[in-house]
Amino acid sequence: MCGIVGYLGPRKASSVLLQGLRQLEYRGYDSSGISILTNKKIKIYKKEGKLANLIQEVPEKLNSPLGIGHTRWATHGGVSDTNAHPHISYKERVAIVHNGIIDNFTSLKEELIEKGISFSSDTDSEVLAHLIDYYLDEDPEVAVQKALDRIDGTYGVIALFKDYPDILIGARNGSPLILGVGDGESILASDASAFIGLSRQAIYLDDGDMIVVKAKEYKTLDRHYKEVFKQPETIDAQSTTISKEGFDHFLLKEIFEQPRSLSRAMGEGGRLQAEFGSAKLGGLNLDTRDFFDIENIHIIGMGTAYYAGMVGSQIIERLARIPTQVLDASELRFSNPIVKKNTLYLAISQSGETADTITAVKEIQNKGGRVLGIINVVGSTLARLTEGGVYTHGGQEVSVASTKAFTAQIMALTLLALLLGRKKDVPISYGKILVKALSDIPAKVQQILDQAHKIKQIAEKYSSASSFLFLARGLNYPIALEGALKLKEISYIHAEGFSSGGLKHGPLALVDEKTPSVFIVSEGETFEKSLSNMQEVKARKGKIIVITDSQDNRIKTLADDYFIVPQSEEVLMPLLNVIPLQLLSYYIANHLGRDVDQPRNLAKSVTTD
Ligand code: F6R
């Protein structure tokens, strides 16, 4: 779960690398480092902590046309200067940056120690530097191949060589690596965002691929090290610009961006079919008749994406009456899943690089299952692996905690549910009502955001609590889970989401005057029951915060604080109800002085499993 970058060309490599790392810092931020070649010597600068610490360390006058860089999320070995990458080999002829996990590093390390090679870090990655150097009597390409052949595990790796100042060698297996082809310059990176301003032409490596890069040319090899031609692809320019646009944090900017990102998820209206009360999703690669054959849908994802799947599954079942399950990708991959011909699998992911989801998808595909993606990042590993799907078009999400990607995922699933529903039981009249309600969603989200100051007041009032409960029913239940995840993730306050109905089956024991309960209550079938649950909390002197679309006076009497969201169709209420919860978490975390964009121990993209 790290970011790697390598540069070769006429610019000052150190500046390009530091700029690239700034773009990649979301992938891990506990330490960072760069390595460059000057006067036939490999120089390494690395520093524990945020990238700013490294920037202070790197001399301004450093001049070299090539180098590699890394921003780390620790797996093997604690957070320290020595465990930071790049790692240099025992003869100081090779430096590497690595993203991934080398599963057999212990036995390789023992073997290398027996040969008299000493290690300076506790990382798994260091073995790779030594192994390449060990085989370097031949040319570097062969040395890398021999080293990779010894490795079990995942890698995105870039190596530079003391005696070969005009090449970088990269390889990928399970961790992304993309070449940006510039004008007389080359940049290799985990993510195309590191190419900012340098290149819009990208070569995406597939698992098992290796690449030998020079400033003006490159050579790609497949898993058998046979040379293969890969066509450069033009990358989306939008994904390369990141700015806080005047907001204090990316997280706040991304929360406030949701009217726009939700419009984009609806294709600026182009994915809605007002005339037929339906939706149009071009990338599904399904024939109209294929829809009739779908007997089950299984949705796969992790974390926030999993919760979006939980919302989506309920909407699909309500509108399309197709039995739909949500599966935790990390569990599914080891469960020997029963894959059936008429089951449609949907993999949800913002980054498209989540290792658990990728491995689960491969397992399903290996058993012959059809997997479509609900993906944000265009060209990401999952987007390329799946047979089609829906891009969520949420735009680049920089803050580690997912917000706008979540609502865009729900929007994409809702459009799919509407499309499937209209092919089944949903009449055109209700389809039209939904289309109209969907097109009103961005304005309703804006109405909530315009009242953010009210949430801020509530947040500050409760920010000293050490534990929160989030409670809801039905479509709002996953929103309670997401609300709790958001709060714990960025404020480090303990928070749990439960179904309101499940309260008295255990969690009620947690309620006391110091533990606020946040209820998400929409008008509809479960409204009265939710009021009873609030009574149960009130009777135990628990504080109650309510997010609701109801003006019912009983809520105002029961709640210590409440926030009213605009009304919409019941299936669309999760899209509105989650906004105040995102704001609540943000304002609490900010009030407590937390690092809201880069919370401790986390990384944006979980590329290791
Ligand atoms: C929480 C969060 C994570 C991700 C999860 C899946 O705010 O961001 O729970 O949702 O790691 O990531 P993607 O969607 O990139 O597959």
Side-chain angles (χ1 to χ4, degrees):
M1 261 159 53
C2 308
I4 62 174
V5 59
Y7 176 77
L8 191 46
R11 303 174 203 243
K12 196 159 103 174
S14 53
S15 306
V16 178
L17 295 172
L18 291 174
Q19 174 57 25
L21 291 181
R22 203 169 282 127
Q23 296 289 120
L24 296 174
E25 208 184 4
Y26 73 90
R27 299 177 69 91
Y29 38 80
D30 58 40
S31 56
S32 54
I34 63 164
S35 172
I36 54 141
L37 203 57
T38 53
N39 302 327
K40 288 207 102 201
K41 209 170 166 333
I42 294 176
K43 280 207 164 175
I44 295 200
Y45 301 87
K46 45 190 193 176
K47 210 66 204 147
E48 182 183 333
K50 294 281 177 69
L51 183 62
N53 298 359
L54 175 69
I55 292 172
Q56 281 189 345
E57 198 75 1
V58 176
E60 186 54 36
K61 58 179 184 338
L62 212 57
N63 216 346
S64 167
L66 104 161
I68 54 178
H70 188 271
T71 178
R72 181 170 189 245
W73 184 84
T75 56
H76 293 62
V79 178
S80 67
D81 288 355
T82 33
N83 287 336
H85 296 218
H87 292 290
I88 192 158
S89 64
Y90 65 114
K91 288 188 188 165
E92 300 192 353
R93 297 189 294 176
V94 182
I96 60 108
V97 284
H98 168 231
N99 169 30
I101 292 182
I102 299 174
D103 295 331
N104 60 338
F105 90 99
T106 313
S107 59
L108 289 172
K109 189 169 176 172
E110 279 164 9
E111 181 189 319
L112 290 165
I113 288 172
E114 259 174 44
K115 293 184 199 300
I117 296 171
S118 55
F119 279 71
S120 50
S121 78
D122 307 316
T123 65
D124 54 337
S125 310
E126 195 183 342
V127 294
L128 203 43
H130 297 316
L131 269 181
I132 297 174
D133 200 339
Y134 181 73
Y135 292 119
L136 197 54
D137 296 330
E138 303 174 55
D139 80 73
E141 208 176 303
V142 176
V144 172
Q145 289 168 4
K146 285 190 171 174
L148 293 179
D149 287 345
R150 302 289 317 278
I151 297 249
D152 293 333
T154 54
Y155 51 81
V157 62
I158 310 174
L160 74 75
F161 304 85
K162 175 174 145 311
D163 301 319
Y164 301 87
D166 60 342
I167 60 164
L168 289 174
I169 297 185
R172 117 160 231 177
N173 186 39
S175 305
L177 194 60
I178 306 161
L179 173 70
V181 187
D183 187 7
E185 56 190 341
S186 298
I187 181 159
L188 267 172
S190 314
D191 178 333
S193 66
F195 305 166
I196 190 159
L198 289 183
S199 165
R200 287 192 59 203
Q201 292 298 304
I203 303 280
Y204 289 87
L205 297 195
D206 293 314
D207 279 348
D209 285 353
M210 193 175 137
I211 188 159
V212 183
V213 176
K214 294 191 172 180
K216 294 184 183 164
E217 58 191 84
Y218 59 88
K219 180 170 83 175
T220 42
L221 307 158
D222 67 10
R223 61 174 65 248
H224 308 294
Y225 307 128
K226 196 170 138 281
E227 195 170 337
V228 282
F229 175 71
K230 280 191 184 270
Q231 185 71 38
E233 295 173 34
T234 304
I235 50 172
D236 176 9
Q238 262 185 2
S239 66
T240 59
T241 39
I242 64 163
S243 142
K244 286 189 198 149
E245 290 173 15
F247 286 93
D248 287 344
H249 295 98
F250 281 108
L251 184 63
L252 194 59
K253 179 204 137 193
E254 285 159 8
I255 294 172
F256 271 80
E257 210 183 313
Q258 290 175 103
R260 273 192 285 149
S261 54
L262 282 163
S263 285
R264 283 198 302 269
M266 287 188 279
E268 312 287 2
R271 284 175 164 177
L272 297 177
Q273 283 194 309
E275 191 190 349
F276 299 110
S278 187
K280 194 168 76 187
L281 297 168
L284 291 178
N285 292 340
L286 289 178
D287 186 78
T288 313
R289 279 178 193 82
D290 289 343
F291 289 113
F292 298 114
D293 296 334
I294 302 171
E295 287 173 5
N296 289 286
I297 295 179
H298 288 185
I299 304 178
I300 316 156
M302 294 304 297
T304 289
Y306 175 87
Y307 296 147
M310 282 179 77
V311 176
S313 72
Q314 291 195 47
I315 302 177
I316 293 171
E317 288 201 343
R318 283 180 192 218
L319 297 184
R321 309 299 299 151
I322 299 174
T324 305
Q325 282 183 37
V326 193
L327 307 160
D328 177 306
S330 67
E331 290 296 318
L332 178 131
R333 52 179 294 205
F334 294 114
S335 67
N336 193 13
I338 301 162
V339 174
K340 290 204 172 153
K341 187 167 164 246
N342 292 336
T343 298
L344 176 67
Y345 290 86
L346 299 174
I348 308 192
S349 176
Q350 186 288 124
S351 62
E353 301 296 347
T354 300
D356 288 309
T357 312
I358 292 171
T359 320
V361 166
K362 286 182 177 166
E363 173 67 2
I364 291 160
Q365 287 177 331
N366 187 41
K367 291 187 170 204
R370 171 184 274 188
V371 190
L372 302 183
I374 309 280
I375 313 287
N376 194 35
V377 178
V378 176
S380 57
T381 303
L382 272 167
R384 301 165 75 76
L385 200 60
T386 46
E387 293 165 51
V390 187
Y391 274 124
T392 52
H393 295 311
Q396 188 176 4
E397 199 178 56
V398 174
S399 185
V400 165
S402 192
T403 52
K404 64 173 182 164
F406 177 68
T407 47
Q409 286 160 349
I410 296 178
M411 178 57 81
L413 286 163
T414 307
L415 295 177
L416 181 62
L418 175 60
L419 175 61
L420 293 170
R422 285 285 293 117
K423 305 236 176 269
K424 302 220 169 200
D425 294 345
V426 173
I428 188 164
S429 53
Y430 185 55
K432 284 186 173 181
I433 290 172
L434 273 179
V435 166
K436 167 78 177 72
L438 279 163
S439 50
D440 289 344
I441 285 290
K444 291 185 177 176
V445 170
Q446 189 59 53
Q447 275 178 46
I448 299 172
L449 295 170
D450 290 343
Q451 301 174 71
H453 58 282
K454 293 188 187 164
I455 301 285
K456 187 168 186 254
Q457 273 170 8
I458 299 175
E460 288 173 4
K461 177 170 166 190
Y462 292 95
S463 60
S464 61
S466 54
S467 185
F468 277 73
L469 303 183
F470 287 77
L471 300 152
R473 287 173 179 268
L475 282 155
N476 288 320
Y477 170 46
I479 297 302
L481 301 178
E482 170 61 8
L485 175 62
K486 218 77 312 168
L487 184 64
K488 66 185 123 185
E489 191 178 11
I490 60 170
S491 72
Y492 319 149
I493 295 174
H494 173 255
E496 293 298 333
F498 297 106
S499 66
S500 309
L503 189 62
K504 49 189 166 301
H505 296 276
L508 196 55
L510 296 170
V511 171
D512 61 19
E513 62 277 15
K514 293 197 206 92
T515 308
S517 292
V518 182
F519 279 90
I520 304 108
V521 183
S522 297
E523 288 213 338
E525 240 182 317
T526 58
F527 184 75
E528 293 297 328
K529 285 270 176 236
S530 302
L531 286 182
S532 313
N533 300 134
M534 277 186 237
Q535 294 280 11
E536 290 156 11
V537 170
K538 192 84 181 163
R540 273 95 192 161
K541 299 194 172 57
K543 294 275 181 283
I544 296 178
I545 303 164
V546 183
I547 309 297
T548 185
D549 61 341
S550 168
Q551 299 282 353
D552 193 309
N553 274 331
R554 287 171 298 168
I555 289 199
K556 295 177 185 165
T557 317
L558 276 168
D560 294 278
D561 290 279
Y562 61 87
F563 182 87
I564 298 185
V565 297
Q567 288 194 318
S568 182
E569 285 302 306
E570 200 179 350
V571 287
L572 305 187
M573 286 313 296
L575 283 169
L576 300 176
N577 287 334
V578 75
I579 310 289
L581 299 186
Q582 296 170 343
L583 288 167
L584 184 73
S585 298
Y586 171 78
Y587 287 123
I588 290 177
N590 196 37
H591 188 70
L592 295 173
R594 306 295 192 229
D595 189 347
V596 286
D597 281 335
Q598 296 184 326
R600 69 184 181 199
N601 306 340
L602 301 178
K604 179 75 187 151
S605 159
V606 186
T607 56
T608 49
D609 46 17

